[in-house]
Amino acid sequence: LILDLGSNVGASIAFFRARYPNARIIGLEPDPAAFGRLQISTEGLDDVEIYPWAVANQSGRMAFQQSSQSWESRFAPPGSAGEGLIDVEAFSLVDLLARLQIPRVDLLKLDVEGAEWLMFDDPAGFARCETIVGELHLDKDQTSECAERALAGFDFTVTSRMSRRANFVARRRRADAEHI
């Protein structure tokens, strides 16, 4: 099972389908414009489910800032107002896994434009994940070391760094995997 958080228009889902032809793939994309394109790009793909939802540290409606460049859309800072501000349905990772009746995630992809830090606030959902790949948005208080601490029980590797961003892979340590 592959859980693709931040599916955007579906390039990652197409990659996963080609690489893992027998996997069940679930994609989430809260930006309505990107979700419309995601529906078109995944139409006809076997065993692919997509949902117009976000993942955060809690479940409920959350303010979301749409951008003209869909890969820049993200949760809005508290107190935000203005054009492009919408409410989206969000779930904690624990609640999402329960809602979709997912006992185990083989591969979790995180490309959620900063919302990874909300998820790291409540890392309980990661307990059902084997491998996590993703992008970190970094600043002085949100570092790759902070992400590594949030993903205790995983072997954490930064695979590339850019200005204020890093890509990572986290693989469950074998001793920890036996408890799933």
Side-chain angles (χ1 to χ4, degrees):
L1 187 133
I2 299 170
L3 182 56
D4 183 347
L5 305 180
S7 295
N8 197 266
V9 298
S12 54
I13 289 178
F15 170 81
F16 292 138
R17 174 50 62 228
R19 179 74 172 92
Y20 306 102
N22 298 318
R24 176 183 176 201
I25 302 171
I26 300 171
L28 272 65
E29 176 52 55
D31 183 301
F35 186 78
R37 293 190 298 267
L38 178 62
Q39 288 176 303
I40 293 167
S41 68
T42 59
E43 189 175 333
L45 292 180
D46 290 334
D47 218 6
V48 172
E49 305 164 42
I50 57 171
Y51 300 94
W53 303 332
V55 178
N57 56 344
Q58 60 188 1
S59 297
R61 304 293 296 177
M62 295 183 71
F64 189 80
Q65 183 67 52
Q66 280 188 283
S67 172
S68 61
Q69 303 298 322
S70 62
W71 61 85
E72 294 177 340
S73 296
R74 65 188 70 234
F75 285 123
S80 294
E83 190 175 327
L85 195 63
I86 61 171
D87 277 348
V88 298
E89 189 168 3
F91 293 92
S92 70
L93 185 54
V94 169
D95 289 349
L96 177 71
L97 296 176
R99 179 172 181 149
L100 297 176
Q101 300 178 339
I102 298 172
R104 178 175 173 245
V105 177
D106 296 297
L107 177 61
L108 172 67
K109 184 216 109 195
L110 284 177
D111 190 358
V112 290
E113 301 309 308
E116 66 273 13
W117 298 105
L118 296 174
M119 296 174 69
F120 292 154
D121 284 346
D122 180 17
F126 298 120
R128 294 193 203 170
C129 300
E130 288 296 314
T131 300
I132 305 167
V133 297
E135 179 182 70
L136 299 171
H137 292 76
L138 306 171
D139 66 23
K140 65 182 179 75
D141 296 323
Q142 297 168 325
T143 65
S144 57
E145 292 79 15
C146 294
E148 184 173 9
R149 281 192 298 275
L151 294 173
F154 288 84
D155 290 322
F156 182 92
T157 305
V158 171
T159 57
S160 66
R161 288 188 186 274
M162 300 142 279
S163 168
R164 300 184 60 203
R165 291 187 185 184
N167 293 321
F168 74 95
V169 174
R171 289 185 177 87
R172 177 151 314 278
R173 291 187 190 108
R174 288 295 98 209
D176 294 331
E178 294 170 7
H179 300 294
I180 294 178

